[in-house]
C-alpha cells in the first residue's frame, strides 16, 4: 500500500515536471540561452538588447526577464514595429508576421554583430531558426550566417541544435 | 432583483473557475532550468484563437476574415448581428446598431465609433458610423473586426461613447495577385468587384479594390398608408440601391497611406417625415471619402513614435416630394450637406521603465466645413426658398496612459484625455482598469471609465438650446470581465456592466425647449463560449441579458432584454466546403408607441469553398432560412392620416446571395 502511495506520489511529481510550457515563454527562454551561450565581439554595449519584430507575445514574455545579466550586461527588451532601430539589437527575433521583411533586415544589418532569430521557416537567411518539432521546440543554427555577423555560438549550444548548417570547407 | 441574481451567478462561476485552475502551474523562471533540460520539455502551442489587438480592458469580441467568409457576411451590419449583445435595426435607409443601453437611430449616430486601421471615420455632420451598403469598405478587404463595448474617449475622445467598431484591413500579400468577383442576390441584386494586392521584394505592399453594387428593389407594403390617397399602402419600385467603393492602401518601411471613396444612393420607400408624399420618388445619397498617411518609427529601443494625418470628406444629398404644396408652392425639397475635416495625431510610446508602458500624445482636429444647404422647389423646378447653415469647430486634445505591471499577476491601466473644442468647455475623460492574471489561463478585469459626445453639427442645427449653454452628453461605465482559456481551443468570456448616461437632451416644458438634463441607466451581463478543434470546426455561443432604462426610467424602446447567438462552422465534403450556420435570437422589445414586439429567432446558412479550384472560389448564403415573418422597431413615432401606427417595419423573409471569385 505504502509503495503504491509512493508510486502515485512519484507519478504526480513526474506529471508536474512534465507540465508543458507556454510557447512564448519557451521562445523567450531560448533567446536568453542563445545570448548566454554565444560570444559577441568586443566591445559590448552598456546593456544587452534583445529585440522582437512582429512577435508581440514573445516580446512580452521576454520583458519578464528584463534586468537579468547577460555577459555582465543587464538585459533590455525592445518590441519593435519598424526596422529603424534594429542596429541597436544584439539579438533580433523576427516573428512569422514580419518574416517578409527578413531579406531587407539581412541586407540592412550586413555584417553587424546582430544575431537574427526567427520562427518562420527561413534558416537560409538567419543565424538561428526556432521551430516546433512534435511536442518540443527545436532550433537550428546557420553557422555561416552567425560567423558573418562575427558571432561565435558555443559548443554546448551547437550540440543541442537539431541541425547545424556549416560553411563549406 | 433579477439582475442581482444574475450577478451572483457570474460571481459563483468566476470562483468555480478559479478553484478549478488551482492545480495549474506557473511557467516560473525558465532561465533557471539548464538549457539541455529545457529543450527536452514539451510546449503547448499558443492558442490559435484570434487575440485582441486593441488595448481595451473591456470584453472585446473579434470577428475574423475566416468568420466573414464562413458566415457570408456582406456588411458590417451582418458582422454586428453575429456579435454578442448586439443587434441592428433597418429602416430602409440605414442600419442602426443597438446594444448596451443604446437602441437605434437616435443613439447610433455620434455614439458608436467606427475605426478603420486606427482612424476614426465617422463623418463630421452627424458623426454616424455607416455599417450597411453605405459603408466604406467591402468586407473582402477586411482582415478582422473587433468590437469594443463601452467607452473609448480616453483613447479616441469625442463620440467613443457606447461602443467602438475597430476594422483592420487586409494586407496586399493576402491577395498576392488580382481577384475578380461577381455576386447575385435577392431582389435583383448584382455586385462586381476587382481587387489587386501584392508585396514586392523591397517590402513595399499595395492593396487596391473597387466594387459596384446595384439592387433593383421591389414593391413594399406599409399598412399605415393603406388609404386611397396613398396607393393603398404600396410603395412601388422605391427600394433600389446603388453603391460604388474604391479602396487603396500602400505601405513602405514605416510609411503607410490609405484612401477610401464610397458612394451609395438609396431610394427610400418609407416615410421619414410627416409632410413627405408617400410612394413618390425619394432618393438619398451618402458619399464618404478619406485619405490618410501614417509614419511609424523607433527612436532608439525605448521609444516608438506614430504620426498620423487624416483628411475626411462627407456629402449627403436627398430630394423628396411633399404631399401638399398648395399654400407655399414648395413641391420638392433638396438637402445638400457637406462636411470636411482634417486631423493630425502624434503619439509616443515609451518603454523606459521595465514595468510601465507609457503612451502620450496630442491631436489637432479642424472641422472646417459643416454646411447644411436646403432648397425648396416649385412643381416646375424653380427655387422657391433656400436655407443655409454653417458651422466649424477646432479641437485640441492631449492624452496620456500608463500600463503598469505591478507584478506577475496584477496590472494597472490608467489613462486620461483632455479635449478642448473652441465652442465648448474643456472635457476630461478618465479610465482606470485593474487586470488580474489569476492563473495563466484566467484573466479578471475591472474598469471604470467616462466618455463624452460633443453636440455635433446636426445637433447644433436642430436644437436651439445648444447655444451658449451647450454641453457634451456623458456616460460613466463600470465593467467586470472574466476571460478564461479553458483549453487552447476553448475560451470563455463573461462580463458584468453598468452604464450611467447623463446630459441627454430632453424636452423641458418650463424652458419650452430641449435641455441637456436627461439621465438613464443600463445594467447587463454577457457570457460567451468559443471553441474550435483541429479539424477546423469553430463554435461560438453567447447570451446577453440587459436592462436599459430611458430618461423617464421606463424600459428603453427597441432594447431587447435578451439576445442569444450561436454560430457553428465546419468543413464538410472531405474538407472541400465549409458550412456556416448562425442562429440569432432577439428578445421582445417595446416600440416607440410602447407596443411590445415579441422575440424572434432567425437562422442563416452559408456554404463556401475551402479550397480554390483553378483559381475559382464560391459562396452561397441564405439569410432568414426558415422564412420567419418578423418586425423591427421603426423610429417614426408619428401617425399618418390613416391614424394607423407605423412603429414597426416588416423585415425581409428568406433571401439568398451567391458569390463567385476568380483569382488571376
Amino acid at each position: 500500500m505504502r509503495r503504491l502511495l509512493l508510486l502515485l506520489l512519484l507519478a504526480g511529481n513526474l506529471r508536474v515536471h512534465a507540465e508543458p510550457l507556454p510557447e512564448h515563454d519557451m521562445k523567450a527562454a531560448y533567446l536568453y540561452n542563445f545570448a548566454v551561450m554565444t560570444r559577441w565581439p568586443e566591445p559590448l554595449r552598456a546593456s544587452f538588447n534583445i529585440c522582437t519584430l512582429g512577435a508581440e507575445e514573445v516580446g512580452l514574455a521576454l520583458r519578464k526577464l528584463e534586468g537579468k545579466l547577460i555577459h555582465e550586461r543587464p538585459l533590455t527588451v525592445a518590441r519593435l514595429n519598424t526596422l529603424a532601430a534594429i542596429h541597436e539589437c544584439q539579438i533580433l527575433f523576427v516573428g512569422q508576421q514580419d518574416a517578409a521583411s527578413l531579406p531587407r533586415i539581412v541586407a540592412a544589418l550586413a555584417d553587424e554583430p546582430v544575431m537574427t532569430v526567427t520562427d518562420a521557416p527561413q534558416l537560409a537567411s538567419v543565424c538561428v531558426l526556432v521551430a516546433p518539432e512534435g511536442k518540443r521546440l527545436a532550433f537550428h543554427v546557420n553557422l555561416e550566417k552567425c560567423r558573418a555577423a562575427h558571432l561565435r555560438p558555443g559548443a554546448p549550444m551547437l550540440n543541442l541544435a537539431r541541425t547545424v548548417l556549416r560553411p563549406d570547407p | 432583483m433579477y439582475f442581482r441574481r444574475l450577478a451572483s451567478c457570474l460571481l459563483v462561476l468566476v470562483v468555480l473557475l478559479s478553484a478549478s485552475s488551482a492545480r495549474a502551474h506557473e511557467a516560473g523562471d525558465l532561465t533557471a532550468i539548464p538549457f539541455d533540460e529545457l529543450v527536452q520539455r514539451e510546449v503547448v502551442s499558443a492558442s490559435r484563437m484570434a487575440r485582441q489587438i486593441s488595448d481595451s480592458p473591456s470584453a472585446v469580441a473579434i470577428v475574423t476574415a475566416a468568420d466573414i467568409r464562413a458566415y457570408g457576411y456582406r456588411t458590417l451590419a451582418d458582422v454586428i448581428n453575429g456579435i454578442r449583445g448586439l443587434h441592428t435595426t433597418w429602416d430602409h435607409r440605414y442600419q442602426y446598431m443597438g446594444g448596451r443601453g443604446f437602441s437605434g437611430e437616435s443613439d447610433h449616430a455620434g455614439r458608436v465609433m467606427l475605426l478603420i486601421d486606427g482612424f476614426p471615420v465617422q463623418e463630421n455632420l452627424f458623426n454616424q458610423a455607416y455599417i450597411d451598403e453605405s459603408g466604406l469598405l467591402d468586407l473582402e478587404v477586411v482582415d478582422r473586426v473587433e468590437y469594443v463595448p463601452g467607452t473609448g474617449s480616453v483613447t479616441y475622445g469625442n463620440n467613443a461613447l457606447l461602443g467602438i467598431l475597430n476594422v483592420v484591413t487586409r494586407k496586399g500579400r493576402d491577395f498576392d495577385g488580382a481577384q475578380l468577383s461577381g455576386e447575385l442576390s435577392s431582389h435583383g441584386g448584382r455586385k462586381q468587384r476587382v481587387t489587386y494586392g501584392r508585396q514586392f521584394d523591397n517590402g513595399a505592399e499595395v492593396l487596391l479594390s473597387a466594387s459596384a453594387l446595384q439592387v433593383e428593389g421591389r414593391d413594399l407594403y406599409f399598412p399605415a398608408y393603406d388609404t386611397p390617397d396613398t396607393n393603398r399602402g404600396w410603395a412601388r419600385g422605391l427600394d433600389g440601391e446603388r453603391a460604388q467603393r474604391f479602396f487603396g492602401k500602400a505601405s513602405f518601411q514605416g510609411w503607410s497611406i490609405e484612401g477610401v471613396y464610397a458612394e451609395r444612393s438609396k431610394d427610400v420607400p418609407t416615410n421619414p417625415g410627416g409632410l413627405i408624399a408617400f410612394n413618390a420618388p425619394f432618393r438619398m445619397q451618402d458619399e464618404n471619402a478619406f485619405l490618410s498617411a501614417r509614419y511609424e518609427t523607433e527612436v532608439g529601443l525605448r521609444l516608438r513614435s506614430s504620426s498620423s494625418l487624416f483628411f475626411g470628406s462627407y456629402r449627403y444629398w436627398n430630394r423628396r416630394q411633399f404631399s401638399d404644396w398648395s399654400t407655399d408652392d414648395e413641391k420638392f425639397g433638396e438637402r445638400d450637406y457637406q462636411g470636411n475635416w482634417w486631423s493630425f495625431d502624434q503619439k509616443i510610446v515609451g518603454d523606459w521603465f521595465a514595468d510601465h508602458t507609457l503612451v502620450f500624445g496630442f491631436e489637432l482636429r479642424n472641422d472646417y466645413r459643416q454646411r447644411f444647404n436646403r432648397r425648396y422647389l416649385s412643381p416646375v423646378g424653380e427655387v422657391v426658398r433656400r436655407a443655409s447653415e454653417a458651422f466649424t469647430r477646432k479641437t485640441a486634445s492631449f492624452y496620456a496612459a500608463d500600463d503598469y505591471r505591478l507584478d506577475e499577476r496584477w496590472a494597472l491601466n490608467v489613462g486620461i484625455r483632455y479635449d478642448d473644442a473652441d465652442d465648448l468647455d474643456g472635457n476630461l475623460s478618465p479610465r482606470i482598469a485593474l487586470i488580474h492574471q489569476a492563473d495563466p489561463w484566467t484573466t479578471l478585469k475591472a474598469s471604470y471609465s467616462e466618455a463624452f459626445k460633443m453636440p455635433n453639427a446636426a445637433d447644433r442645427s436642430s436644437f436651439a438650446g445648444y447655444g451658449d449653454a451647450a454641453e457634451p452628453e456623458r456616460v460613466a461605465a463600470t465593467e467586470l470581465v472574466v476571460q478564461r482559456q479553458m483549453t487552447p481551443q476553448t475560451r470563455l468570456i463573461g462580463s458584468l456592466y453598468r452604464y450611467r448616461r447623463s446630459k441627454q437632451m430632453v424636452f423641458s416644458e418650463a424652458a419650452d425647449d430641449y435641455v441637456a438634463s436627461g439621465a438613464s441607466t443600463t445594467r447587463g451581463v454577457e457570457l460567451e463560449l468559443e471553441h474550435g478543434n483541429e479539424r477546423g470546426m469553430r463554435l461560438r455561443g453567447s447570451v446577453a441579458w440587459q436592462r436599459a432604462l430611458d430618461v423617464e426610467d421606463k424600459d428603453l424602446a427597441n432594447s431587447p432584454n435578451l439576445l442569444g447567438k450561436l454560430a457553428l462552422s465546419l468543413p464538410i465534403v472531405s474538407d472541400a466546403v465549409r458550412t456556416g450556420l448562425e442562429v440569432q435570437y432577439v428578445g421582445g422589445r417595446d416600440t416607440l408607441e410602447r407596443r411590445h414586439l415579441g422575440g424572434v429567432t432567425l437562422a442563416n446558412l452559408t456554404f463556401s469553398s475551402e479550397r480554390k479550384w483553378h483559381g475559382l472560389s464560391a459562396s452561397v448564403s441564405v439569410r432568414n432560412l426558415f422564412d420567419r415573418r418578423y418586425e423591427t422597431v421603426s423610429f417614426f413615432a408619428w401617425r399618418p392620416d390613416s391614424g394607423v401606427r407605423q412603429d414597426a417595419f416588416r423585415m425581409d423573409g428568406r433571401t439568398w446571395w451567391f458569390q463567385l471569385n476568380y483569382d488571376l
Side-chain angles (χ1 to χ4, degrees), chain B residues 46 199 232 250 300 353 445 500 520 626 657:
Chain B
Q199 183 173 43
R232 285 269 155 232
F353 310 103
K445 306 172 181 178
R500 177 76 181 162
S520 61
F626 300 109
W657 169 72

Side-chain angles (χ1 to χ4, degrees), chain B residues 505-524:
Chain B
M505 292 302 275
V506 289
F507 189 78
S508 154
E509 301 279 347
D512 193 28
D513 199 356
Y514 283 88
V515 291
S517 64
S520 61
T521 304
T522 301
R523 299 157 200 272

Side-chain angles (χ1 to χ4, degrees), chain A residues 35 40-51 65-78 85 87-91 113-114, chain B residues 300-302 351-352:
Chain A
W40 261 261
E42 300 287 339
L44 286 172
R45 293 168 194 276
S47 60
F48 194 93
N49 303 332
I50 302 185
C51 311
L65 310 178
E66 216 161 43
K68 284 183 183 291
L69 292 184
I70 298 175
H71 304 305
E72 294 165 21
R73 307 291 196 282
L75 167 59
T76 293
V77 178
H87 306 276
E88 295 179 48
C89 312
Q90 264 80 68
I91 295 184
V114 178
Chain B
L301 296 178
R302 293 302 200 190
D351 271 338
W352 297 290

Side-chain angles (χ1 to χ4, degrees), chain B residues 34-240:
Chain B
F35 197 37
D36 54 340
E37 281 177 35
L38 196 65
V39 293
Q40 296 304 320
R41 295 286 296 268
E42 285 185 12
V43 289
V44 313
S45 59
S47 159
R48 245 165 268 141
M49 294 183 152
R51 292 184 67 98
Q52 82 182 58
I53 298 172
S54 52
D55 67 341
S56 169
S58 185
V60 173
I62 301 162
V63 178
T64 63
D67 295 325
I68 288 171
R69 194 165 156 71
Y71 300 114
Y73 295 148
R74 296 158 61 197
T75 62
L76 278 178
D78 293 338
V79 173
I80 289 165
N81 277 312
I83 293 178
R84 119 178 69 90
L86 297 181
H87 64 112
T88 66
T89 308
W90 169 241
D91 72 351
H92 294 275
R93 294 181 298 172
Y94 301 107
Q95 290 271 12
Y96 308 96
M97 180 167 118
R100 302 175 171 187
F102 58 107
S103 61
E105 185 196 31
S106 58
D107 286 326
H108 178 74
R111 293 169 186 83
V112 176
M113 171 159 272
L114 177 61
L115 302 170
I116 294 179
D117 293 324
F119 290 101
V121 297
Q122 304 105 284
E123 33 79 11
N124 69 343
L125 301 180
F126 308 93
N127 301 133
Q128 183 162 333
Y130 295 89
I131 56 172
D132 42 52
E133 293 295 358
S134 62
L136 279 66
L137 295 176
D138 292 311
L139 287 195
E140 287 81 5
V141 301
V142 170
D143 184 60
R144 56 198 272 140
V145 179
E146 287 190 352
Y147 175 66
V148 184
T151 71
S153 284
V154 67
T155 312
Y156 303 108
N158 188 20
N159 293 331
L161 200 70
L162 299 172
I164 300 168
L165 282 163
N166 186 7
V167 177
V168 179
T169 60
R170 297 176 76 180
K171 295 187 160 103
R173 73 185 87 152
D174 296 334
F175 286 89
D176 195 27
Q179 185 179 69
L180 298 176
S181 172
E183 295 177 16
L184 292 172
S185 56
S186 298
H187 312 308
R190 298 181 308 282
K191 186 174 172 180
Q192 308 81 34
R193 176 176 56 83
V194 54
T195 304
Y196 172 80
R198 214 184 139 191
Q199 183 173 43
F200 300 94
D201 292 338
N202 65 358
E205 204 160 8
V206 294
L207 179 58
L208 301 166
S209 189
S211 74
L213 167 86
Q214 312 86 39
V215 183
E216 280 168 18
R218 69 221 131 111
D219 302 338
L220 289 166
Y221 172 69
F222 297 94
Y225 293 89
D226 194 346
T227 67
D229 289 345
T230 48
N231 200 29
R232 285 269 155 232
W234 281 93
R236 300 272 179 207
L238 284 176
D239 194 33

Side-chain angles (χ1 to χ4, degrees), chain B residues 10 13 84 482 492-495 525-529 541-544:
Chain B
L10 192 75
L13 196 75
R84 119 178 69 90
V482 54
L492 183 83
I493 297 180
S495 169
V525 56
E526 296 172 357
L527 204 59
E528 179 174 271
L529 187 74
S542 70
V543 180

